[in-house]
Amino acid sequence: MSTPSQRYAAAQQRAQTPLGRFAALYDFGFDQFQTQACQALAQGQQVLVAAPTGSGKTLVGEFAVHLALEQGRKCFYTTPIKALSNQKYHDLLRRYGPDRVGLLTGDNSINGEAAVVVMTTEVLRNMLYENTPTLAGLGFVVMDEVHYLADRSRGAVWEEVIVHLPESVQVAALSATVSNVEEFGAWLESVRGQVATVVEEHRPVPLWQHLQVGRQLYDLFSAEQGGVEGTPPAGAIPAVNPHLLEVVAGLEHRAGADQPHRSPSRRRDAGGSRAGFWSNAATRPPGRATTVDLLDRHGLLPAIVFIFSRAGCDNAVRQCVAAGVRLTSTEQAQRITALVREHTDWLSGPERLVLGYEPWLEALQRGVACHHAGMLPVFKQVVEQLFTQGLIQVVFATETLALGINMPARSVVLERLVKFNGQEHLDLTPGEYTQLTGRAGRRGIDIEGHAVVQWSPGVSPQAVAGLASTRTYPLRSSFAPTYNMAVNLLARLSFEQARQLLETSFAQFQADQQVVGLATTVKKLRAQAETARSQLRCPAPGDAACGTQDLVEYAQLYQKWQRADQQASRAAHALTRTDVEAGLRALRIGDVVVLSAGRRPGLAVVVTPADPHPDQPARPLVVTAGRQARRISQVDVGQQVQVVGRVRVPRHANPRNPAQRRDLASTLRASGLRPPPAQRHEPAPQESSDHTVKELLDQVRAHRCHRCRHRREHLALIKRYHTLHQQIDSLTQRMNRDTGSIARRFDRICALLEQLGYVQTRAERVQVSAEGARLARLYGERDLLVAHCLRQGTWLGLEPAALVACVSGMVYQSRREQGPAGQSEGLHLPAGLARQALIDTLAVWRYLHEQEAAQGLAVLPEPDFGFAAAAWAWAQGDDLADVLEQVDLQPGDFLRWIKQIIDVLDQMVAACAADTSGKAAGTPAGVASVAATASAAIQAIRRGIVTYADPSD
């Protein structure tokens, strides 16, 4: 046992190490996993930390910052979203001061050459491709929320950065707990060198799981299963609280008994919550104010209530205010008012009115707020500050709040376990549940956190238990080569080197690992197929027995007949689909069409006809009697298009304007038109197909094995034999497809780029052309479309406002189910160059889309001009209130799209000044003219709230 003097000497020695000096900055001791990860960094290793939300893994990233400053090197701290970058920037600013900390988020730059720079991951990716001088002296890169590389639209950026970073840079990757962390760590080691993978599964603050049933809270798990954390150990089969099961079973029985006697119309209770189909008072979801009161009585505030709808969040705040909820003292309300005024003094009176400033402030003064992407960024930042200071007690938020922003609470409430992903309603995954509920429990403040799921009929306690007990989820790569990536790689590497580099991606690593497993499966299936073939023996005596070859021949003939029968049936239905497609394409503005299928049957009026191009699906835009604007397809009309009449549609009607949607729906309802009685539509028979099917059936019946009394057993065994071989063929094709799949996609992209002239093969070396150099400076989903419009002169001669309208289609994405607005939005712009430019831009996209299809690619999404009219109006100088009235958008969305337009315009200016080496050079007069217009366009839209937004946003 060591003496006090020895322990003192050891402590003094530790204090002289980088980790010791770093630990001295904190007033708490480090957890073992934090110490382990920091020590690995100090020893020069790469580090991967996988730990639960709120466990303190960002401390490892802060140690990387500390090491960089001690060693006189740079550290870049990357995050997936600007809100998290802003928060981390302010955290580091308080510790190290403005001289040593900077921020880069694409459209904002603060001290970008500082020793420590916080940035979004895309900014670092662009730096690496452009090889900017800012990279000089870079020693550490922190990749916070690195599991974001699974994101479908942006995840590839993380892999690009990891693969392209110089070997001399140490990476500290911070991830949520994922089930395949060893696999991810093995890949990191294969591309970055020695990696210390540190996994922590213990939550520092225990999390208790509850179900809210009406006005009562129930523990989800039995006491003996709850353990210390109120959640069964990972992998254990959870035992649900039997009393809870009794309560829920009783309520479901009562709700089911009431169901036949209730109207299915949707109603709202006095508290504003959705009554829905289940109108029994015992099963009706509680009002939001009731839930807040329940949490308050149980001491579970502050709380975050996740509602997967922006409008739902706004409504929840209004309901609480209307119900008289007040969770603050007079002194707290005064502090709230002072902080709000400090951050929003720059807002003008008209801007405050359109932004709903006064109702927002009143709710804050009561201790209630919402937080979602549709809010003005400064409003969100105020909410975040007030919540972390303990001045806000309840925040109604969408899931974007769970993406790393440091806003922990004592409890988290989930109103539903289903969310809309932009295309369809899907159940929450265990990973999403873990991410959301991980906000519950503030380290150093709460001794435990609480996760609450609101019960409604159809919500199974067992299903909730399954979500709560599945603590991890697999990390799957979303990486795929893009046009911009291809030209940037080829500008630095040979074709073969670029190809080899892409094969080191995590996506290919996972595919190769999967191929190994598939090969084992194929081997087992082949053994089973041989066994099945050996069993092909007929037990009939003598000549009556079917030989093995006869059986195989009979089975092949039998299957041939079945396939012909199925094909004939499919052909008949294909004719029906063709008829429906033609019917949809024939619809004109004002036609009233019957929506006989899908989730929302009824009548709808056509506002925009289907795209006339034969390669585009026939999806006219309609407004329904229920005031919904959406694009329809065969899924909505069934097996025939039924037009029951016409109504008048105003010229240039804008279905995205709520008032115009309301007027159209009212006109439709007042027309008196009704759907005709339901009729069964049978597909037309195919005479030639039917004849072939009959011939094959006759051959089957004439075969000697058809008369064998063991025929059914033979067919079952042969069917299994063939099924096994089909599985083998399918898996073999999948193995061939997965092996080298990333490189093959790169080959197709390069082939298309060469065909279009963006790269050239000279002396067996692929080189980037001048047009390719421009493409290399254009980042985004529609990179090639922007480059080709510049090259073709599509935007030449436009006024700044018209260029803004065109560029809006390169960034905007409709949130609702009608999909891209396409050509129709051009009708809402004044006649002339602006409208024609949108149509010409769509024509360029269609051309590129055809070339992609010929190469077996599908990379470029269709431009979406749903924001074009609003962007054009803003560039023309219209007031914010007038602009927002034109589109069904919230202020935060409007600001985000405008900033993204500015980002693309900035890229265009840079791209137009790039030659094949990426340096500034003379450019053709047309391209230079567009660059000048882009600069003027930036000035035209960088005004008002766009200018006065927080510079760190």
Side-chain angles (χ1 to χ4, degrees):
M1 185 173 178
S2 60
T3 65
S5 60
Q6 289 172 327
R7 290 196 295 273
Y8 175 78
Q12 287 291 97
Q13 186 175 3
R14 284 195 300 273
Q16 300 309 310
T17 65
L19 181 54
R21 291 188 290 272
F22 177 66
L25 301 174
Y26 295 83
D27 56 3
F28 58 84
F30 294 172
D31 290 343
Q32 184 178 353
F33 86 93
Q34 294 170 326
T35 300
Q36 181 184 350
C38 289
Q39 286 174 340
L41 271 179
Q43 293 165 6
Q45 298 180 57
Q46 322 280 330
V47 173
L48 169 61
V49 181
T53 299
S55 60
K57 55 181 174 287
T58 54
L59 184 139
V60 180
E62 291 168 6
F63 180 60
V65 172
H66 177 83
L67 279 176
L69 292 175
E70 276 204 346
Q71 296 172 10
R73 301 160 78 191
K74 288 183 179 180
C75 179
F76 290 168
Y77 198 112
T78 71
T79 73
I81 55 175
K82 284 192 283 187
L84 186 53
S85 291
N86 295 337
Q87 191 173 73
K88 204 68 212 176
Y89 166 70
H90 289 296
D91 290 345
L92 294 173
L93 197 67
R94 284 190 291 270
R95 168 151 291 174
Y96 298 110
D99 293 338
R100 297 204 283 179
V101 181
L103 175 71
L104 293 173
T105 58
D107 54 357
N108 286 300
S109 175
I110 302 173
N111 197 16
E113 297 300 323
V116 179
V117 184
V118 183
M119 61 185 68
T120 49
T121 316
E122 282 87 350
V123 171
L124 178 53
R125 185 271 312 273
N126 299 353
M127 281 185 183
L128 290 167
Y129 279 149
E130 295 166 16
N131 196 25
T132 62
T134 304
L135 294 168
L138 181 62
F140 296 85
V141 167
V142 179
M143 305 193 78
D144 204 353
E145 308 286 335
V146 74
H147 55 272
Y148 209 87
L149 66 79
D151 182 72
R152 184 173 54 186
S153 60
R154 295 174 54 214
V157 176
W158 275 255
E159 291 186 50
E160 290 180 77
V161 168
I162 290 169
V163 168
H164 289 300
L165 276 173
E167 292 181 8
S168 59
V169 176
Q170 285 179 248
V171 171
L174 313 178
S175 170
T177 308
V178 292
S179 55
N180 60 334
V181 64
E182 290 81 8
E183 179 187 40
F184 184 53
W187 170 71
L188 270 178
E189 188 154 311
S190 71
V191 293
R192 303 290 315 159
Q194 188 173 6
V195 173
T197 299
V198 180
V199 179
E200 175 61 34
E201 295 182 348
H202 174 71
R203 275 181 54 94
V205 180
L207 180 63
W208 288 82
Q209 307 280 344
H210 310 277
L211 215 62
Q212 179 189 353
V213 184
R215 297 169 183 265
Q216 299 294 325
L217 278 184
Y218 296 87
D219 289 341
L220 179 60
F221 296 111
S222 300
E224 63 271 16
Q225 287 289 321
V228 177
E229 300 187 17
T231 303
I237 299 174
V240 178
N241 180 355
H243 179 51
L244 169 63
L245 291 175
E246 263 181 48
V247 171
V248 168
L251 289 173
E252 286 183 332
H253 177 73
R254 290 166 61 185
D258 267 4
Q259 182 178 338
H261 310 292
R262 300 292 181 177
S263 166
S265 62
R266 296 186 63 78
R267 304 204 301 274
R268 294 184 178 270
D269 67 7
S273 69
R274 295 166 304 286
F277 191 82
W278 305 95
S279 52
N280 184 299
T283 59
R284 186 181 304 162
R288 269 81 180 235
T290 301
T291 297
V292 171
D293 179 65
L294 178 66
L295 296 172
D296 195 14
R297 283 190 287 108
H298 283 270
L300 299 183
L301 297 180
I304 298 171
V305 181
F306 283 110
I307 303 174
F308 303 121
S309 158
R310 299 175 180 183
C313 293
D314 294 334
N315 289 336
V317 171
R318 284 193 289 268
Q319 291 159 18
C320 288
V321 171
V325 170
R326 183 174 293 279
L327 304 169
T328 56
S329 65
T330 302
E331 187 268 335
Q332 287 174 323
Q334 291 171 347
R335 289 172 57 194
I336 289 169
T337 304
L339 190 143
V340 169
R341 287 176 177 166
E342 178 187 338
H343 285 77
T344 59
D345 273 349
W346 50 270
L347 283 172
S348 66
E351 286 173 334
R352 293 186 180 207
L353 186 63
V354 73
L355 295 173
Y357 177 87
E358 293 301 332
W360 172 68
L361 175 58
E362 181 187 0
L364 293 180
Q365 290 167 338
R366 292 172 174 268
V368 180
C370 60
H371 188 288
H372 57 72
M375 295 170 62
L376 202 64
V378 69
F379 282 19
K380 286 192 293 182
Q381 291 163 18
V382 167
V383 170
E384 290 162 14
Q385 288 190 38
L386 292 174
F387 193 77
T388 54
Q389 292 178 24
L391 296 173
I392 296 292
Q393 293 298 303
V394 177
V395 172
F396 296 96
T398 57
E399 71 271 22
T400 53
L401 182 59
L403 292 175
I405 300 173
N406 185 26
M407 279 181 62
R410 180 166 296 161
S411 65
V412 162
V413 179
L414 302 183
E415 278 201 355
R416 301 181 67 199
L417 296 176
V418 176
K419 71 170 186 175
F420 186 65
N421 69 352
Q423 297 177 332
E424 56 185 329
H425 289 85
L426 298 173
D427 292 337
L428 283 185
T429 66
E432 289 167 333
Y433 182 90
T434 301
Q435 185 84 359
L436 294 167
T437 58
R439 292 283 156 211
R442 298 165 296 174
R443 189 170 188 179
I445 301 175
D446 300 317
I447 59 171
E448 58 191 25
H450 298 265
V452 179
V453 174
Q454 289 188 344
W455 177 83
S456 60
V459 173
S460 160
Q462 292 91 336
V464 179
L467 286 173
S469 58
T470 306
R471 315 262 189 102
T472 62
Y473 52 97
L475 185 61
R476 298 290 174 220
S477 172
S478 61
F479 179 85
T482 64
Y483 298 113
N484 171 275
M485 187 191 304
V487 292
N488 273 295
L489 286 173
L490 293 172
R492 300 166 51 201
L493 305 168
S494 71
F495 178 78
E496 284 304 320
Q497 287 172 327
R499 215 171 177 275
Q500 290 168 9
L501 186 68
L502 289 173
E503 288 183 328
T504 66
S505 66
F506 186 42
Q508 192 58 60
F509 184 87
Q510 286 191 311
D512 292 343
Q513 293 288 311
Q514 196 170 30
V515 165
V516 174
L518 292 176
T520 303
T521 304
V522 167
K523 185 177 179 180
K524 291 177 181 176
L525 290 174
R526 282 187 173 135
Q528 293 174 22
E530 285 304 311
T531 301
R533 184 177 177 84
S534 68
Q535 293 171 347
L536 282 176
R537 294 190 182 90
C538 182
D543 292 341
C546 297
T548 299
Q549 190 57 41
D550 291 334
L551 287 171
V552 172
E553 181 185 87
Y554 175 70
Q556 289 172 343
L557 186 61
Y558 191 90
Q559 288 181 340
K560 190 175 180 181
W561 163 68
Q562 283 188 319
R563 281 196 299 268
D565 188 46
Q566 291 168 356
Q567 287 170 0
S569 177
R570 282 197 296 267
H573 284 288
L575 275 181
T576 301
R577 283 199 302 272
T578 303
D579 291 343
V580 171
E581 190 86 357
L584 289 170
R585 216 174 284 281
L587 291 173
R588 292 294 173 258
I589 295 174
D591 284 347
V592 177
V593 62
V594 178
L595 306 183
S596 57
R599 289 187 294 115
R600 302 185 185 111
L603 295 180
V605 56
V606 177
V607 182
T608 305
D611 191 318
H613 197 277
D615 286 346
Q616 297 304 306
R619 298 193 66 196
L621 182 63
V622 302
V623 171
T624 69
R627 296 188 296 181
Q628 286 139 353
R630 59 192 177 104
R631 291 194 179 273
I632 60 170
S633 65
Q634 183 177 354
V635 173
D636 302 285
V637 299
Q639 295 183 330
Q640 57 182 326
V641 177
Q642 302 176 75
V643 177
V644 295
R646 290 181 59 82
V647 297
R648 182 180 174 278
V649 174
R651 189 181 180 191
H652 303 335
N654 182 2
R656 286 165 185 78
N657 185 307
Q660 292 190 33
R661 279 204 311 272
R662 184 174 60 248
D663 292 344
L664 284 168
S666 178
T667 300
L668 181 58
R669 290 194 296 271
S671 70
L673 296 172
R674 295 287 183 271
Q679 297 178 349
R680 184 173 177 84
H681 181 76
E682 296 291 345
Q686 305 293 302
E687 291 184 10
S688 59
S689 298
D690 288 348
H691 180 69
T692 303
V693 171
K694 186 177 182 305
E695 280 187 345
L696 288 170
L697 182 57
D698 289 342
Q699 293 176 33
V700 167
R701 288 171 173 168
H703 197 281
R704 69 183 298 264
C705 289
H706 190 70
R707 296 183 294 278
C708 179
R709 62 192 184 92
H710 301 287
R711 179 173 65 91
R712 292 187 184 280
E713 294 92 324
H714 296 331
L715 283 174
L717 196 58
I718 292 173
K719 182 180 179 181
R720 171 162 170 73
Y721 174 75
H722 282 291
T723 299
L724 288 167
H725 269 285
Q726 286 172 353
Q727 291 175 346
I728 290 168
D729 291 343
S730 174
L731 292 178
T732 302
Q733 290 174 9
R734 188 172 162 191
M735 288 164 61
N736 293 334
R737 185 187 69 231
D738 289 348
T739 302
S741 55
I742 301 296
R744 283 201 302 276
R745 179 183 169 94
F746 178 67
D747 293 345
R748 295 191 191 104
I749 283 176
C750 289
L752 179 56
L753 289 175
E754 182 160 22
Q755 176 187 323
L756 296 173
Y758 289 93
V759 299
Q760 301 164 346
T761 302
R762 292 178 179 171
E764 299 185 357
R765 180 176 173 85
V766 180
Q767 297 178 334
V768 177
S769 67
E771 290 80 11
R774 292 192 196 109
L775 174 57
R777 305 295 293 272
L778 299 169
Y779 303 98
E781 278 192 299
R782 299 174 178 91
D783 47 9
L784 183 60
L785 178 56
V786 177
H788 217 64
C789 285
L790 288 173
R791 182 181 176 186
Q792 298 294 106
T794 309
W795 300 332
L796 188 61
L798 294 180
E799 293 294 320
L803 182 59
V804 168
C806 289
V807 171
S808 74
M810 305 302 107
V811 298
Y812 181 71
Q813 288 182 317
S814 301
R815 295 189 69 244
R816 290 177 173 80
E817 59 188 354
Q818 64 260 33
Q823 183 174 337
S824 63
E825 277 303 317
L827 300 176
H828 304 304
L829 293 178
L833 284 178
R835 188 190 303 178
Q836 187 60 45
L838 264 62
I839 296 171
D840 292 345
T841 302
L842 273 168
V844 174
W845 174 79
R846 288 195 186 101
Y847 167 74
L848 294 174
H849 183 65
E850 289 170 358
Q851 305 310 307
E852 282 188 327
Q855 291 288 349
L857 291 167
V859 180
L860 285 174
E862 181 181 357
D864 188 336
F865 292 120
F867 188 61
W872 181 85
W874 182 252
Q876 288 283 89
D878 286 14
D879 291 337
L880 179 64
D882 294 335
V883 173
L884 291 180
E885 191 174 337
Q886 295 187 37
V887 284
D888 190 11
L889 278 181
Q890 294 180 320
D893 292 321
F894 168 79
L895 183 58
R896 185 171 72 258
W897 295 125
I898 289 292
K899 286 192 169 187
Q900 289 193 27
I901 292 171
I902 290 173
D903 187 35
V904 173
L905 291 168
D906 266 332
Q907 291 176 26
M908 287 167 54
V909 173
C912 290
D915 65 3
T916 53
S917 63
K919 300 175 183 176
T923 54
V927 175
S929 172
V930 175
T933 306
S935 296
I938 292 171
Q939 297 306 312
I941 60 178
R942 190 176 270 159
R943 64 183 180 86
I945 62 170
V946 180
T947 303
Y948 294 116
D950 189 324
S952 68
D953 168 53

